[in-house]
Amino acid sequence: RNSAALEQPLTSFLTRPTTTMKLALLALAATTAHAACPNSCSGHGTCGADDTCTCYQDWVMGDQDGGDCSDRRCPYQVAWSAGPDKTGNIHTYAECAGVGICDRGSGDCECFEGYTGRGCGLQTCQNDCSGHGECVYAEDVTFGTVYGDYAGVPDANGDIVASGVGVGASKVPQKPNWDSGKVRMCVCEPGYTDID
């Protein structure tokens, strides 16, 4: 066989586009024609058809419009105080309970002085009770802890549950409130008083 006859089919194959090559080029063009979300949503979200990120749980857009899901969300707790909602409730949920700053890098709250816990949902006791008391939840504190304090302690219905001078400590039943499990205070050792 002569070499010219062998070269013709090879040259023809290389210069003539095949169906497979056409499909590959079409697929490549389709993927490059679609624009991308900012920073590919940082790997923490999905990119929608309108090139906007939808962030996964605990990730947020960031401070800019059309963000890239690069910032972490901090825990939400019942707010100590917030703007009222439609019903007038001022204890709605807020990031870091409204008494802390969210560290967007770690997703942890940096609580203001006097607050602690995940999402700043707990009060601290002043000076950690100065080492002369116990920091307890307000709803767990009994009344009449000083001998002879109360002559009568009413329950939630107004009925006297303890009467007489010097009856000792009594706990008044309370309905759960927004601050249940949040407000703490010092119960001092004998011989010590004050809020701390």
Side-chain angles (χ1 to χ4, degrees), residues 15-188:
T15 58
R16 177 181 46 163
T18 64
T19 304
T20 305
M21 287 176 57
K22 288 179 185 177
L23 289 173
L25 287 173
L26 181 62
L28 181 62
T31 58
T32 57
H34 183 276
C37 284
N39 199 21
S40 297
C41 301
S42 303
H44 304 127
T46 57
C47 186
D50 59 352
D51 300 327
T52 302
C53 293
T54 300
C55 301
Y56 298 145
Q57 184 177 344
D58 297 329
W59 294 93
V60 294
M61 291 294 212
D63 294 331
Q64 71 278 7
D65 290 334
D68 63 358
C69 302
S70 61
D71 290 340
R72 295 196 75 119
R73 179 187 318 265
C74 283
Y76 277 66
Q77 293 281 345
V78 174
W80 292 95
S81 179
D85 63 11
K86 293 177 185 177
T87 65
N89 180 14
I90 59 168
H91 298 290
T92 56
Y93 281 86
E95 196 169 42
C96 300
V99 290
I101 303 294
C102 181
D103 178 343
R104 297 281 178 213
S106 68
D108 295 324
C109 293
E110 296 172 16
C111 304
F112 299 153
E113 186 176 344
Y115 302 93
T116 189
R118 188 174 189 275
C120 306
L122 299 173
Q123 278 185 330
T124 60
C125 286
Q126 287 192 358
N127 299 324
D128 198 27
C129 302
S130 302
H132 299 289
E134 183 181 359
C135 186
V136 297
Y137 293 101
E139 64 264 21
D140 294 334
V141 175
T142 56
F143 296 95
T145 56
V146 177
Y147 184 81
D149 261 1
Y150 294 94
V153 179
D155 66 10
N157 298 324
D159 300 325
I160 301 298
V161 292
S163 62
V165 176
V167 295
S170 294
K171 184 162 174 26
V172 178
Q174 298 177 25
K175 293 180 181 176
N177 204 350
W178 73 269
D179 60 353
S180 295
K182 293 175 70 72
V183 176
R184 299 192 302 173
M185 59 191 296
C186 293
V187 174
C188 300

